[in-house]
Amino acid sequence: MNAEPLNKSPLANISELELKSAETVLDWGKTLIVAPHPDDESLGCGGAIALLREFDVEVSVVVLSDGTLSHPHSKKFPAEKLRDLREFEIKDALEMLGVTEKSIEFFRYQDRSVPSENSENFNEAVERCCKQIATLKPDTILVPWRRDPHPDHRAAFQIINQATRKFFADIRIIEYPIWLWEIAESVDAPRASEVTAWRLDITEVLDKKLRAINKHKSQTTDLIDDDAEGFRLSPEVLENFATDWEVYLESI
Ligand SMILES: [Zn+2]
């Protein structure tokens, strides 16, 4: 149930959201990025990652799924080969943004099967994340918007929410929407009563962000051309990520 009218959502007028300066990320401190799939990191928060690194702030990344359902029928890229390709692509993208390979961890859950709170292996996923958090000791964690349309994105939020609530209550959690324009006018939109929303000015690193997105060639080009049902980030969709700001949400 959503009793609040949609026009009350903080995302109803994105262009009117407060625009915070690039230096804002300095308040985040050491940051852990949780990416359900290779590409979410660049699409959702590539600008923030680049800024953090330019300010010499430590950034690490956990990639939850293997990304192998983007092209499930490709003969040229069966699951294992596609997984390797997507892991190569995210390493390449993150290098562009200033994050080295040793700061990336792959959990390799099957694509679309990242454990959600109703899954049998949810607690195990929470424990894995807790171990990672205990090792990395981040001040801030970036995770997809809790009601982003993709089930893996929701599961990612549920895992981190559970892990931090229980054991790491001091860590700041900031949510990043991926399918922003889709959720802005749906019942999944953030409500003014639950979160604040703002934009981060990424003008000075937008070029880096776009180059990082383009490193995900399996998602942005015809590199895998033998799967009619293969996923593709079309130019129209990519345009939505080419803004000189990124939107972030934080619980009130
Ligand atoms: Zn994703």
Side-chain angles (χ1 to χ4, degrees):
M1 282 296 289
N2 178 8
E4 238 173 285
L6 288 177
N7 61 11
K8 286 275 184 64
S9 170
L11 297 189
N13 290 305
I14 294 166
S15 60
E16 285 172 26
L17 287 178
E18 182 190 356
L19 184 64
K20 295 194 182 187
S21 73
E23 286 75 19
T24 304
V25 298
L26 286 170
D27 299 339
W28 299 4
K30 202 168 165 183
T31 300
L32 169 63
I33 312 290
V34 178
H37 311 98
D39 74 4
D40 291 317
E41 81 300 333
S42 298
L43 296 168
C45 35
I49 297 171
L51 287 174
L52 284 161
R53 292 305 299 134
E54 286 194 4
F55 291 124
D56 215 18
V57 180
E58 221 176 290
V59 174
S60 45
V61 180
V62 167
V63 186
L64 295 175
S65 88
D66 60 14
T68 52
L69 276 186
S70 67
H71 299 78
H73 310 298
S74 171
K75 295 266 189 300
K76 291 183 197 166
F77 286 88
E80 212 168 294
K81 196 172 169 192
L82 181 52
R83 180 197 70 201
D84 291 348
L85 173 64
R86 297 207 63 186
E87 291 186 356
F88 170 80
E89 288 174 343
I90 189 174
K91 286 179 200 165
D92 219 10
L94 282 166
E95 193 183 332
M96 173 65 63
L97 299 172
V99 180
T100 58
E101 197 176 328
K102 65 174 176 26
S103 302
I104 313 169
E105 197 67 36
F106 295 97
F107 278 17
R108 291 185 171 176
Y109 285 111
Q110 201 180 18
D111 201 346
R112 238 184 155 81
S113 298
V114 173
S116 67
E117 51 197 6
N118 299 318
S119 312
E120 256 177 37
N121 51 348
F122 180 67
N123 287 335
E124 180 239 340
V126 172
E127 268 173 43
R128 276 179 91 178
C129 275
C130 282
K131 274 190 197 147
Q132 204 62 29
I133 294 167
T135 308
L136 299 167
K137 300 186 177 59
D139 302 300
T140 298
I141 298 178
L142 261 54
V143 65
W145 162 238
R146 63 190 77 172
R147 292 192 297 276
D148 217 58
H150 197 295
D152 287 345
H153 294 196
R154 294 180 183 216
F157 175 82
Q158 290 162 8
I159 292 168
I160 292 301
N161 190 43
Q162 179 76 1
T164 52
R165 259 197 199 172
K166 254 184 156 171
F167 305 109
F168 306 96
D170 295 344
I171 297 177
R172 186 173 174 189
I173 305 295
I174 298 176
E175 295 167 58
Y176 62 91
I178 289 289
W179 304 107
L180 176 63
W181 62 96
E182 280 186 25
I183 56 173
E185 306 209 343
S186 81
V187 290
D188 295 325
R191 296 159 205 159
S193 55
E194 61 184 347
V195 286
T196 53
W198 74 91
R199 292 176 301 154
L200 174 68
D201 187 346
I202 60 160
T203 311
E204 57 189 87
V205 291
L206 178 59
D207 186 50
K208 265 193 192 176
K209 170 176 175 159
L210 297 179
R211 280 190 280 161
I213 291 173
N214 284 329
K215 295 287 186 186
H216 294 279
K217 289 201 169 42
S218 64
Q219 311 298 296
T220 56
T221 72
D222 287 332
L223 177 72
I224 302 175
D225 58 6
D226 64 340
D227 184 347
E229 289 168 36
F231 176 78
R232 177 81 186 267
L233 285 160
S234 66
E236 296 74 37
V237 167
L238 284 171
E239 224 168 85
N240 291 298
F241 296 101
T243 51
D244 51 15
W245 41 260
E246 288 172 344
V247 172
Y248 291 99
L249 304 146
E250 199 167 357
S251 281
I252 289 172

